[in-house]
Amino acid sequence: MSYQHPIWKDADHPPVPVAADTVEATYVCDFCTDPKILFVYATTQRILIQVDTAHGAVVRDYGRRWSACVGCAALVEARNLAGLLDRILTHGMAFAAEVVAHLADMLRQVLTRLRPGRALTADGQWDALPLPATTLPKVRDRLAALIAGEIRLPFGLSHDPVRTSLAAGLAYSRLYWIDNQFTVLTRNAARVLPRMGFVPGDLPAAHGFVAWAQPVDARRRCVAASWNSHGDAVQLVGYRSIGDGLAPGPLQQLRGEVGWLIPAFAVTLRPGQPVTATHPAAALLTTWRLIRQRLAETTPAKVDRSISRAYRRTRRPEPEVALLRIRGTRSTSISTRHASTSGGTEHEYRWWVTPHWRHQWVGQGRALRDWIVVRPHLRGPRDKPIRATTTVRVLGALPPRPDAPGQASADGQ
C-alpha cells in the first residue's frame, strides 16, 4: 500500500498517514473546498479514475460520499457539469490541463451516478447566528417543514415515525426566547452542572422550542433546541444556525429550501436518566431548572407584523413567544449596603441565594412561628455581574422541611 498527497496540493515532504481519530478533522466541500458544507450526496457506485504517472497507471478511488456547499449543491441539483467545473477552477489554484481533464471526468461520473435525494450534514463551518425573538414563529414553521420534508436528516432523525412525531411536536410547541444575560447564566451553570437525574416535572411545557441569545454549548454552535414528549420519555434536538456569510441570492434560496436551523444533536431522555456537564442537553436541562426554580420572569415578545399577517391569512392562532429574563434582583442586603456606606469592602458581584426554609413569626400579632419557603433570588449590587459558581446550587430541589425550629437561614454566598 502506498500514500500520495492530493493532486492539487504542492507538497515538499513524503506523505505520512495519521489515524483519523487522532486529529481534529475539518470538513470541506468535495468540489470547491468551501468549509461551509451543508449537503451530502451519494453515488450508486465508487468513483474510480485512472491516472497515468511516471511510475505507471494509478487508479484513484474517490468513494461514494460527496459533501457539497450551498453553491455547489445548486449546480449538482441542476446536473450542471460546466458550471460545477468552472466553480472548482475559480475557487482553486491554477490547474494543469491534465488535472482539469481529470476533474471533468470525475465530475461526469458523479453527476451520472447520483442516488436520488440528498442528506444534511452538521459538519459545516458555519458561524453562529442567534435568532431574534420576533422571528421565532417563522423559524419554527420552516424547521417543522424541513423535518417533515424529503431531505435526509442526521442523528437518526430520518426514520418516518421519528420525523412525523418531531414535526407534529414542533407545530404545537411553545416558543421561548432567552435573553443575553439569562443565556450567559445558563451557559456558565451548564459547564459545571453536577450529575442530575432527568425529571419530567422539569419541563415547562410538553412540547417546546427555545432559542438562546448566543450559543450555549462548549463548541459554541447550539443556538436553539426543541423537545417533544412521548409519555415519560422526551426527545430532544439541538440546532445550529446556517447561512452566515452567504450572498443575498444563495441565502434566500437556502432559507426557502432548508431554513435557518439544522440539527446539531438528538437524544432521548427518560425519568432518572443522569445528565452531567458533558451531556449534549446540559444547557437545555439547566434552562428548564432555572425556569422551574422561578429564577426567570416571562414577558410576551412582539412578533413581526408580516408573520402575524401570514398566520391570520391561514386562520392560525396568533403566535406567542415567551421572552425569558433573569428575575429582578432583590434589594441589596443590609450588610452590603452598610459596607458600601461605611467605607467597607463593596461586593464586586451578585450571587444566588439557594432555596431554603426559614422559621418565621406568622399570624395575627406574629404570635405563631412556622416554616416558610424562601425562593431562590439574587443578592448583591444591581450593577454587578452574577457569580456563575453560585448558580449551580439553585438548580437542585428544595431541601426537606425541617421537623423542628433552630435551622439557620443564611444568605448563602
Side-chain angles (χ1 to χ4, degrees):
M1 179 180 293
S2 62
Y3 298 91
Q4 294 186 8
H5 290 288
I7 59 173
W8 59 83
K9 185 181 177 92
D10 292 329
D12 58 0
H13 61 277
V16 179
V18 178
D21 59 356
T22 63
V23 297
E24 183 69 24
T26 298
Y27 298 92
V28 298
C29 176
D30 286 323
F31 301 101
C32 73
T33 71
D34 187 336
K36 297 181 185 295
I37 59 173
L38 184 60
F39 299 104
V40 175
Y41 293 89
T43 55
T44 56
Q45 59 190 69
R46 308 182 75 87
I47 304 302
L48 304 175
I49 303 294
Q50 180 172 310
V51 179
D52 294 326
T53 70
H55 304 287
V58 175
V59 176
R60 300 189 185 277
D61 185 350
Y62 290 98
R64 300 183 181 185
R65 186 180 185 273
W66 297 82
S67 299
C69 63
V70 174
C72 288
L75 297 170
V76 171
E77 290 293 312
R79 305 298 193 268
N80 187 342
L81 174 60
L84 194 56
L85 181 59
D86 182 66
R87 180 175 172 85
I88 294 173
L89 299 179
T90 301
H91 283 69
M93 63 181 69
F95 293 108
E98 59 270 22
V99 175
V100 174
H102 175 101
L103 290 172
D105 188 15
M106 177 189 71
L107 294 176
R108 189 177 297 106
Q109 290 194 44
V110 171
L111 295 181
T112 56
R113 297 176 181 177
L114 283 175
R115 290 184 179 275
R118 55 183 174 174
L120 285 178
T121 176
D123 295 326
Q125 302 299 308
W126 298 96
D127 289 335
L129 287 175
L131 307 168
T134 55
T135 65
L136 283 198
K138 177 170 65 175
V139 172
R140 184 266 312 270
D141 291 348
R142 188 64 196 87
L143 179 60
L146 172 68
I147 298 297
E150 296 181 354
I151 298 178
R152 293 188 295 275
L153 306 173
F155 312 114
L157 298 176
S158 282
H159 299 294
D160 287 341
V162 176
R163 298 187 83 139
T164 301
S165 175
L166 182 57
L170 277 169
Y172 295 101
S173 61
R174 185 173 182 185
L175 302 176
Y176 299 88
W177 189 84
I178 312 298
D179 81 342
N180 189 66
Q181 191 179 38
F182 197 172
T183 297
V184 172
L185 173 68
T186 300
R187 186 176 65 231
N188 291 338
R191 288 174 178 172
V192 289
L193 184 71
R195 182 184 178 93
M196 290 183 174
F198 167 65
V199 179
D202 286 342
L203 301 178
H207 309 286
F209 178 83
V210 60
W212 292 280
Q214 54 179 286
V216 291
D217 60 328
R219 299 180 66 184
R220 307 285 290 175
R221 301 199 315 174
C222 185
V223 298
S226 68
W227 64 92
N228 193 18
S229 299
H230 303 279
D232 288 337
V234 178
Q235 182 184 46
L236 313 178
V237 183
Y239 304 99
R240 62 178 306 191
S241 59
I242 54 173
D244 171 67
L246 292 183
L251 180 61
Q252 184 177 5
Q253 182 177 357
L254 175 67
R255 298 294 185 237
E257 293 181 355
V258 179
W260 285 259
L261 300 171
I262 59 173
F265 70 84
V267 296
T268 299
L269 288 182
R270 292 177 172 80
Q273 183 172 338
V275 175
T276 64
T278 59
H279 194 280
L284 183 57
L285 184 100
T286 302
T287 301
W288 292 341
R289 287 289 175 95
L290 293 174
I291 294 173
R292 191 189 71 172
Q293 292 286 23
R294 303 182 185 179
L295 303 182
E297 58 185 13
T298 304
T299 58
K302 291 185 177 180
V303 177
D304 283 350
R305 292 182 179 179
S306 60
I307 298 176
S308 297
R309 287 196 296 268
Y311 268 63
R312 287 195 294 270
R313 283 196 300 269
T314 57
R315 298 184 178 182
R316 298 175 64 185
E318 188 81 7
E320 296 181 357
V321 178
L323 194 156
L324 296 178
R325 300 185 177 96
I326 296 176
R327 188 175 296 277
T329 308
R330 277 184 56 151
S331 298
T332 305
S333 65
I334 295 176
S335 60
T336 304
R337 291 199 301 268
H338 177 74
S340 61
T341 57
S342 61
T345 302
E346 183 179 354
H347 287 286
E348 295 299 322
Y349 55 84
R350 288 180 287 170
W351 64 90
W352 286 105
V353 176
T354 57
H356 59 275
W357 294 92
R358 175 179 291 163
H359 202 240
Q360 182 169 306
W361 293 104
V362 297
Q364 186 175 2
R366 304 179 69 81
L368 302 174
R369 298 192 72 178
D370 195 7
W371 291 102
I372 65 168
V373 175
V374 178
R375 295 291 177 184
H377 58 274
L378 281 170
R379 283 289 180 89
R382 292 177 182 270
D383 59 343
K384 300 300 182 181
I386 299 171
R387 192 175 186 179
T389 54
T390 67
T391 306
V392 179
R393 294 182 297 183
V394 304
L395 299 178
L398 182 71
R401 177 187 172 106
D403 294 329
Q407 176 174 312
S409 57
D411 282 345
Q413 289 189 44

